[in-house]
Amino acid sequence: MNKSWKSLAVDVLGGKEISDGEALSILQSPDEELLELLNGAYHIRKHYYGNKVKLNMIINTKSGLCPENCGYCSQSIVSKAPIEKYAMVDKDTILRGAEKAHHLNVGTYCIVASGRGPSNRDVDKVVSAVKEIKENYNMKVCACLGLLKEDQAQKLKEAGVDRYNHNINTSENHHEQITTSHTYDDRVNTVEIAKKQGISPCSGIIVGMKESYQDVVDMAKSLKVLDADSIPVNFLHAIDGTPLEGTNELDPRYCLKVLCLMRFINPTKEIRISGGREVNLRSLQPLGLYAANSIFVGDYLTTAGQQENADHQMLKDLGFEIDYTNEITAEDLVNQ
């Protein structure tokens, strides 16, 4: 591309939607342009979010026991990965997780459960916990419970759930290479159901599942059409025992280019560096926050994350601020 990345960023801030050709050029850009590309992405990110970083934390309330055949997932019915399996945890466990999130200065607490979709009993348990969380803590609550029904979404909204996550994961074109037990439209429909009830939509992707550059561009543009407020960008952490075992397509520089792409296409949105960042971005993790403005702290679903104090130290070293109403600073958290 002849035009500089900074000037393309200026155009995006002026309302331009980048073309497929420009999007592909981001993913295919030479490594020697990476710092210039990051500077362009940062120009957009800083305009909307300054140097603030949103913190999120997951609690896995139901593990394994899932009838879906998603090729990346250690919890699926086709996985042979030796993970812990358990039914929906009790309310007190969810509340203890919220207390931990509060102490870590987390802005969004994510209640996640495996499975195709929640039973009404599971929804009622989440609803009960969310009501108490909202009474005690000034934090957002995100639910991620699978395919959702209209009445279930309404219950979650009334309880105080702020956000619902259901990732598209990959492009519509590549979807059947990853799972056949539900459709791409099933996923989109769940996000639309949450939106209809006034719940903020969260939907993201997994990169590194043998998709093409065009698939990645299509994912980013699909999320723009879906108008997802929050976009988790996961980088495949191939788990032994899953169909994608041994897949290793990513390097840290390409992961950074993907984050830049997401910022150029979805300039106003919360872009979150999510699962697999530690094993794929490795020593380049801090650079990701020049494009993204959000991270998970703590562990993921069945894989370990970076130590929380290491994340807080990273933010301190970058000179970034935690985007949360508490007065606790990154320096305070590092020194706890």
Side-chain angles (χ1 to χ4, degrees):
M1 194 180 81
N2 294 325
K3 197 170 192 177
S4 75
W5 299 118
K6 179 70 173 289
S7 62
L8 183 61
V10 171
D11 288 348
V12 167
L13 288 177
K16 172 186 170 65
E17 292 189 12
I18 68 172
S19 67
D20 275 17
E22 289 166 328
L24 288 168
S25 71
I26 291 174
L27 296 179
Q28 297 171 320
S29 60
D31 290 343
E32 54 263 33
E33 293 183 16
L34 182 55
L35 290 179
E36 294 173 45
L37 177 61
L38 280 165
N39 184 43
Y42 177 65
H43 187 70
I44 301 169
R45 178 242 203 271
K46 188 177 181 183
H47 178 83
Y48 291 107
Y49 294 100
N51 282 334
K52 293 189 174 181
V53 178
K54 297 176 184 292
L55 301 185
N56 305 260
M57 194 184 91
I58 286 174
I59 178 171
N60 191 11
T61 62
K62 183 179 179 183
S63 182
L65 311 173
C66 181
E68 305 296 290
N69 64 357
C70 304
Y72 55 84
C73 185
S74 60
Q75 303 187 78
S76 79
I77 195 167
V78 295
S79 170
K80 296 180 175 60
I83 63 162
E84 189 177 4
K85 298 178 182 180
Y86 49 84
M88 180 67 90
V89 300
D90 58 28
K91 182 172 111 173
D92 286 345
T93 301
I94 299 173
L95 294 176
R96 284 196 299 272
E99 182 180 18
K100 179 181 178 182
H102 172 72
H103 288 310
L104 289 172
N105 219 26
V106 163
T108 302
Y109 179 54
C110 307
I111 300 172
V112 184
S114 67
R116 180 176 176 84
S119 67
N120 289 334
R121 183 178 178 184
D122 287 346
V123 169
D124 289 344
K125 189 174 290 188
V126 171
V127 161
S128 178
V130 170
K131 286 179 179 177
E132 196 161 330
I133 290 167
K134 285 295 189 174
E135 288 172 2
N136 291 297
Y137 306 114
N138 180 23
M139 69 171 70
K140 290 183 178 179
V141 175
C142 176
C144 177
L145 311 173
L147 300 176
L148 205 59
K149 298 172 184 174
E150 296 264 5
D151 62 324
Q152 293 175 330
Q154 185 177 4
K155 285 182 180 180
L156 293 172
K157 172 64 176 177
E158 290 172 353
V161 169
D162 302 281
R163 177 173 289 168
Y164 196 84
N165 167 261
H166 200 60
N167 294 332
I168 60 169
N169 285 330
T170 193
S171 71
E172 184 173 10
N173 177 64
H174 193 58
H175 180 84
E176 288 191 0
Q177 305 304 311
I178 303 303
T179 181
T180 56
S181 53
H182 59 267
T183 67
Y184 179 86
D185 287 343
D186 287 335
R187 289 189 165 270
V188 170
N189 184 54
T190 284
V191 178
E192 294 292 357
I193 285 173
K195 286 167 63 176
K196 185 178 177 182
Q197 292 299 327
I199 301 175
S200 173
C202 173
S203 189
I205 62 174
I206 306 172
V207 180
M209 300 193 296
K210 305 181 182 180
E211 70 280 342
S212 67
Y213 288 136
Q214 185 62 54
D215 285 321
V216 180
V217 172
D218 290 346
M219 292 180 224
K221 293 203 165 187
S222 293
L223 291 169
K224 185 177 184 68
V225 171
L226 198 55
D227 199 25
D229 292 330
S230 176
I231 301 175
V233 181
N234 299 278
F235 302 102
L236 181 68
H237 181 175
I239 299 171
D240 290 348
T242 64
L244 286 170
E245 174 183 345
T247 304
N248 184 21
E249 298 189 331
L250 302 175
D251 64 59
R253 301 173 306 285
Y254 177 68
C255 293
L256 290 172
K257 293 170 189 176
V258 170
L259 291 170
C260 289
L261 174 74
M262 300 305 292
R263 178 58 66 199
F264 273 90
I265 291 180
N266 296 280
T268 67
K269 302 303 187 178
E270 177 184 340
I271 308 294
R272 186 182 319 129
I273 314 176
S274 300
R277 71 176 163 99
E278 296 85 356
V279 298
N280 286 293
L281 282 163
R282 298 191 285 278
S283 61
L284 299 191
Q285 280 188 73
L287 291 179
L289 286 169
Y290 287 102
N293 65 298
S294 179
I295 57 173
F296 278 113
V297 296
D299 295 337
Y300 301 99
L301 295 177
T302 62
T303 57
Q306 186 165 274
Q307 288 293 314
E308 295 95 343
N309 62 344
D311 286 325
H312 294 129
Q313 183 68 57
M314 178 172 68
L315 300 186
K316 179 186 175 186
D317 292 346
L318 285 164
F320 285 5
E321 305 171 56
I322 295 172
D323 187 1
Y324 192 46
T325 53
N326 278 1
E327 294 301 320
I328 301 173
T329 66
E331 184 170 3
D332 292 332
L333 289 160
V334 168
N335 294 328
Q336 278 184 358

